[in-house]
Structure formats: C-alpha cells, structure tokens
Amino acid sequence: MLSSNAAPCVVVGIDGSQSAVDAALWAIDEAVEADAPLRLVSVIEPTGQSEIDPRDQARRMATAEVAVRYALTAVESTERPVAIELEILQGRPVQALLEAARSAVVLCVGARGLKHATQGRIGSTAAALSAAARCPVAIVRTHRPHSGRSRAVVIEVDEPSEIDSVLHRGLDAARRRGAPVRVLTTGRMRSDAHAQWQRRLAEWQHRYPDLDIASVSTQEGALDYITAHADSIQLVVIGRRRRGGVGAFVGAPGNVALRDTDCSIMVCEPNNAL
C-alpha cells in the first residue's frame, strides 16, 4: 500500500469492474496532459463485524490486488508515456477516495460499479464523489478512443459563477480528444445578456482557435438535450453548482435517460474548492 502524498496525480477508483478499467484507460490522457502519475486506487470496505477473520481479510486483499493489477495491465498495454502508481486502502469507498484525491488533478470512476453493472446505473459511490470531491470528477461510461474526434464534448453553461471554470475544463478536455465542442445554454436570455454571452464565447474561441466551438441554445432541459443527441456526444461537462443540482445527471433521472448511452460526465468543482 502506498501512502497518499500532496503531489498532483490523476486518481482512478478501481473496484474490479470493467467500467473501472474503462475509467483508467480514459484517465490516461488526463495524466499525460498534466504530466502527473496515474494512481489506481482500490478500497477494501470494512465488513462491519467486530472480529476480523484473517482468511477473509487475506481473500479481500487478494481480490483488490487482482483488480488493480488487471487495470495496470490494461493501461500498460496502451504503451502511453504515463507513470502508474497502485494503492490499496482500507475504509469506506467514498471517504477513502476523497482523501486519496485531495491533491488530484481529476478523480475518475466508472459509471457502472460491480453492484450496478448489469443495470447500467451510475453507482452510489460515483454519485457521492461527484458531490463532494475537491477536484473535478469524471464518471466514465466507456472508453472509445477511435470515436473521439467525431463525437462532441458538450459544456453546459448554467451558473454564472462557474462559467469560466467549466468552460476551461471542458475545452481542455475537448482539445485532448480533438473533439468538437457544443456550449449548451438553456432557457431564454435577455437581449443584453445574450450579447454579453456572445462576446464571452468569442473570447474563448480566440483562446482555442484549433477547436470547433459552437453555441447551442435549447428551451428544453439540459438532460433532455443530451438524451436526444446522445449518439453524437462523448462527454458532458457540468458545474457542481448548476441550477437543479448534479442529481439530474448522476441520480435517478440521469440513470434512466443515459443508461444505454456512452456519455461520460465530468462534474467540475466550484472555483473556491481548492
């Protein structure tokens, strides 16, 4: 087991599911871009029993080691230039991963943990992490690197205090993947607010001249738009303080709407989280 430290890293939660392996593969680009190690973290949850069975504990440790080694093999097979760290922790998964990610550039988890793999649901651990982590949380549904340049990154612009941070995270993610960008606004804007938004968007287009960035306005909710265009979207970037909360995407509504899609979700931390 490696002790956590303050060095920046990209943390991936590993629980033995294929979804977690997809999250590790997805996270490689994040680690390479940040010039940070990729830390694969597995958490052994307490049994709740007062007495510890040494044989059961040994089996659980062996299971965790197999899981991280399997993910390690998958990452190494890509032959990408990324340093890899392995860590096995004891504790509650949410609390342990939050602590492991205190200095993380991003925390990546699979959308479908072992308990929810067959239902296509975002697991409770992923949902809890997206609401509490001090860094962005990527909830990865699948890893399809060869389709990245054709499928868009959608950035929802919702909460005024988060616009710049969410755009920055989303545009950087799109640049890493060579993907087109659709900046999504919902509801009606007053004419003066619309003009101000267009000027702001033009500034970001100037900063990222290599990206295809277009603004999309919809009177429907953001989740309805994503659902209707899911086949052409690979990643949705939202702010944690979005109106209505992140539950629309990582809770029951999102589970129903996105369960059969490949849309991953990145929840960005508030500006004052760090």
Side-chain angles (χ1 to χ4, degrees), residues 27-44:
I28 293 173
D29 284 340
E30 306 292 323
V32 171
E33 177 71 17
D35 192 22
L38 184 66
R39 183 175 298 169
L40 307 179
V41 180
S42 183
V43 181
I44 300 176

Side-chain angles (χ1 to χ4, degrees), residues 69-86:
R69 292 291 176 184
Y70 183 73
L72 170 66
T73 299
V75 172
E76 288 181 332
S77 70
T78 67
E79 300 184 346
R80 299 290 301 282
V82 59
I84 308 169
E85 300 175 353
L86 307 182

Side-chain angles (χ1 to χ4, degrees), residues 151-154 225-226 229-236 262-264:
R151 300 170 69 216
V153 171
V154 172
Y225 174 88
I226 300 303
H229 299 84
D231 289 344
S232 62
I233 299 171
Q234 62 172 297
L235 175 66
V236 180
D262 290 338
C263 291
S264 297

